[in-house]
């Protein structure tokens, strides 16, 4: 199982990275492969390539501000949440995605 | 109509996207402008012909550009790349009329919506390629900028002017009331539009040679981040590791006068944090007013201390504001352990999976 995510926030200095870290931690706890791209104020880091996305079973996107190149994820199961919620509730979001992925298998 | 509803439902996202692109312009412009005035040392615009005047000019350029950038990227969030030019031009037109931030927000929203619908127009394949190059920029700009020029630009400018005049009238009547208002406004959205309205008044005051208003503001802008940082030190049990990390960053950001440092806390827990920083900000601002703290530059935080008259009062005011913020927010917040328990009960039902 693999989950990818993109995080971004208005000031792009704190929330973006806290949300990314929360997703990484929540996935690692369940031994899920994870890669999170951050679109902070210094720009895009850890860019998700076509291959990354092709292998992913589900996508987590923050919805505080526009995610750049969001059309990369067309056709994928996506959860959109505010960065603040991701930081607080990443484990339950991941749990929800795991249930969803297993139910579609 | 459904699409329009959809656009307005995401208003917050569009505004925040615009703000996120604007912030570097505010910081670069504001700090360089402040630096030129501080080094000049006369508490005024440096004399023409000196390198400091050039530096001042560079700072002003950053400030002028943030208006079209804000509008352009609000529209970008609504209508993608094609929205940028019409909204940015319209905001610039509005700004020349004095419509400022309100004008920029409006130009961004209108430009975005106009371009969004222009893109929907079905045209014959032969002229399809000229739509994005000619039709959308020209028609979009004409409609959006025309709307500012001949429509809402003037009313918004007079609204902004009235607001400024009203704030100025207040300053003679009761500086304390003004301090409360500035403190509340600057903390309310932490560097957002409301904060910037107060800040625009501060810039105007410096230009008019009024230095107590920027003195109040210098305290007001740095209290929210410093206060939240202080709160994480006073009650570490009430904050997660990430928040403590953000707290240290917030103190640094507060020291250089960047109110945005409090955003991570406010976004995570707005109901408890925003009232706390508003009350703390107002308390700090009032203290500064009572000590008659004066600041020669339109910026805030410890970094402006060379430009402060009444340095002790300035430091006391920051301490009071940060202290009030920290005590209030910690009184409202519950320890992390209880918080997590509550979160796990309210499971992830509100996070729905959609196929993108």
């Amino acid at each position: 199982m693999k989950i990818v995510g993109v995080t971004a926030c208005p000031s792009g200095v704190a929330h973006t990275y806290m949300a990314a870290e929360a997703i990484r931690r929540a996935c690692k706890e369940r031994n899920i492969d994870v890669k999170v791209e951050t679109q902070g104020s210094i720009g895009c880091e850890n860019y998700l390539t076509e291959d990354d996305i092709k292998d992913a079973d589900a996508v987590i996107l923050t919805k505080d501000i526009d995610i750049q190149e969001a059309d990369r994820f067309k056709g994928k199961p996506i959860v959109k949440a505010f960065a603040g919620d991701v930081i607080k509730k990443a484990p339950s979001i991941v749990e929800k995605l795991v249930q969803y992925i297993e139910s579609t298998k | 109509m459904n699409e329009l509803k959809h656009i307005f439902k995401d208003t917050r996202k569009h505004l925040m996207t615009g703000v996120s692109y604007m912030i570097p312009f505010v910081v670069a412009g504001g700090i360089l402008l402040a630096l030129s005035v501080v080094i000049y040392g006369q508490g005024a615009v440096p004399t023409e012909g000196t390198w400091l005047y050039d530096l001042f000019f560079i700072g002003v350029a950053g400030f002028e550009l943030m208006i079209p950038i804000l509008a352009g990227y609000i529209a970008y969030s609504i209508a993608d790349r094609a929205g940028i030019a019409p909204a940015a031009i319209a905001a610039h037109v509005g700004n020349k009329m004095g419509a400022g931030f309100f004008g920029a927000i409006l130009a961004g929203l209108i430009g975005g919506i106009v371009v969004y619908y222009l893109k929907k127009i079905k045209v014959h394949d032969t002229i399809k390629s000229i739509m994005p190059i000619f039709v959308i920029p020209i028609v979009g700009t004409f409609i959006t900028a025309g709307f500012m020029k001949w429509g809402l630009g003037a009313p918004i400018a007079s609204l902004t002017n009235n607001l400024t005049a009203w704030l100025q009238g207040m300053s003679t009547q009761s500086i304390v009331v003004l301090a409360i208002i500035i403190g509340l406004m600057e903390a309310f959205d932490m560097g957002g539009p409301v904060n910037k309205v107060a800040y625009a008044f501060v810039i105007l005051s410096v230009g008019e040679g009024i230095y107590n208003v920027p003195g109040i503001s210098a305290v007001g802008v740095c209290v929210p981040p410093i206060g939240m940082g202080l709160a994480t030190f006073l009650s570490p049990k009430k904050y997660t590791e990430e928040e403590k990390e953000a707290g240290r960053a917030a103190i640094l950001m507060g020291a250089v006068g960047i109110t945005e440092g409090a955003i991570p806390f406010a976004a995570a827990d707005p109901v408890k944090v925003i009232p706390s920083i508003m009350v703390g900000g107002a308390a700090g601002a009032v203290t500064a007013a009572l000590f008659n703290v004066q600041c020669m530059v339109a910026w805030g935080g410890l970094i402006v201390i060379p430009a402060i008259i009444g340095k002790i009062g300035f430091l006391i005011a920051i301490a009071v504001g940060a202290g009030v913020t920290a005590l209030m927010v910690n009184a409202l917040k519950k320890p992390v352990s209880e918080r997590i328990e509550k979160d796990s009960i309210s499971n992830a039902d509100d996070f729905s999976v959609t196929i993108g």
Side-chain angles (χ1 to χ4, degrees):
Chain A
M1 199 175 283
K2 182 178 175 185
I3 289 176
V4 294
V6 183
T7 60
C9 66
S11 54
V13 286
H15 251 71
T16 303
Y17 303 96
M18 286 158 70
E21 199 46 48
I23 295 172
R24 286 185 195 117
R25 192 175 303 161
C27 288
K28 277 188 187 133
E29 265 168 24
R30 309 186 54 128
N31 282 323
I32 299 169
D33 275 343
V34 63
K35 182 170 176 185
V36 185
E37 172 181 321
T38 49
Q39 297 180 351
S41 62
I42 53 167
C44 177
E45 286 170 296
N46 216 15
Y47 183 79
L48 293 173
T49 63
E50 232 170 82
D51 286 343
D52 290 329
I53 297 163
K54 200 173 66 197
D55 295 345
D57 296 289
V59 183
I60 301 172
L61 302 178
T62 57
K63 60 176 180 182
D64 304 56
I65 64 170
D66 241 21
I67 296 290
Q68 283 162 40
E69 295 179 49
D71 49 0
R72 276 178 288 173
F73 307 106
K74 264 210 167 85
K76 291 276 175 191
I78 298 174
V79 166
K80 290 180 183 169
F82 286 113
D85 287 336
V86 173
I87 293 165
K88 284 184 292 181
K89 300 178 185 173
S92 28
I93 296 174
V94 170
E95 168 68 37
K96 179 124 185 170
L97 278 176
V98 169
Q99 283 172 11
Y100 176 86
I101 293 162
E102 277 167 359
S103 73
T104 54
K105 257 177 192 160
Chain B
M1 266 344 243
N2 253 343
E3 287 154 343
L4 201 60
K5 231 185 268 168
H6 200 76
I7 291 172
F8 280 118
K9 211 188 91 214
D10 282 339
T11 304
R12 177 187 139 150
K13 188 182 99 175
H14 303 317
L15 295 185
M16 284 299 121
T17 301
V19 168
S20 73
Y21 283 92
M22 179 186 73
I23 287 173
F25 287 80
V26 180
V27 174
I31 294 280
L32 291 179
L33 190 148
L35 212 61
S36 77
V37 178
V38 169
I39 299 173
Y40 185 59
Q42 312 281 320
V45 177
T47 37
E48 223 163 309
T50 59
W51 78 273
L52 284 172
Y53 181 79
D54 297 341
L55 189 65
F56 180 81
F57 185 79
I58 292 169
V60 169
F63 260 52
E64 281 177 353
L65 274 172
M66 74 188 168
I67 298 283
I69 291 289
L70 172 64
Y73 282 93
I74 290 171
Y76 166 78
S77 175
I78 298 171
D80 222 326
R81 217 163 47 173
I84 295 177
I89 295 169
H92 184 68
V93 167
N95 198 34
K96 290 275 176 209
M97 302 166 71
F101 284 93
F102 292 127
I105 290 168
L106 199 75
L109 292 174
I110 293 173
I113 291 165
V114 166
V115 172
Y116 184 87
Y117 280 104
L118 283 177
K119 282 165 79 175
K120 294 248 156 208
I121 298 171
K122 293 258 185 300
V123 292
H124 195 264
D125 277 353
T126 47
I127 57 165
K128 211 169 185 178
S129 60
I130 69 161
M131 279 299 278
I133 310 175
F134 286 107
V135 180
I136 290 175
I138 295 169
V139 177
T141 302
F142 180 75
I143 296 174
T144 314
F147 197 74
M148 292 303 288
K149 188 74 202 169
W150 301 306
L152 278 177
I156 293 174
S158 74
L159 186 86
T160 309
N161 285 340
N162 285 341
L163 189 76
T164 312
W166 178 69
L167 280 170
Q168 264 176 323
M170 299 280 318
S171 71
T172 49
Q173 288 164 19
S174 169
I175 190 74
V176 171
V177 176
L178 180 69
I180 293 172
I181 294 172
I182 290 181
L184 293 177
M185 284 175 81
E186 285 180 337
F188 173 68
D189 57 356
M190 295 152 290
V194 175
N195 168 297
K196 291 295 177 284
V197 170
Y199 186 49
F201 175 64
V202 170
I203 298 169
L204 190 136
S205 301
V206 171
E208 303 280 323
I210 305 167
Y211 296 125
N212 55 358
V213 173
I216 289 164
S217 164
V219 173
V221 296
C222 72
V223 159
I226 293 180
M228 288 312 302
L230 181 66
T232 64
F233 281 104
L234 292 181
S235 296
K237 276 195 191 126
K238 294 186 176 175
Y239 297 90
T240 61
E241 279 309 312
E242 288 90 348
E243 283 172 323
K244 280 178 231 169
E245 189 73 31
R248 284 190 283 272
I251 289 181
L252 270 178
M253 288 173 82
V256 295
I258 297 173
T259 322
E260 280 85 346
I263 289 179
F265 297 96
D269 193 2
V271 182
K272 296 188 182 97
V273 171
I274 291 177
S276 304
I277 59 177
M278 284 174 75
V279 171
V286 168
T287 312
L290 294 175
F291 278 106
N292 193 24
V293 173
Q294 310 224 348
C295 181
M296 302 293 187
V297 297
W299 196 254
L302 295 170
I303 197 173
V304 299
I305 210 158
I308 293 279
I309 298 168
K311 293 183 170 55
I312 309 270
F314 175 67
L315 294 175
I316 293 173
I318 292 177
V320 168
V324 169
T325 303
L327 292 178
M328 180 166 164
V329 76
N330 284 344
L332 291 172
K333 268 189 179 286
K334 295 204 157 50
V336 170
S337 52
E338 291 172 39
R339 252 203 283 167
I340 287 167
E341 215 171 300
K342 203 184 104 221
D343 281 346
S344 59
I345 296 168
S346 72
N347 54 41
D349 276 350
D350 39 339
F351 304 113
S352 55
V353 181
T354 54
I355 303 297

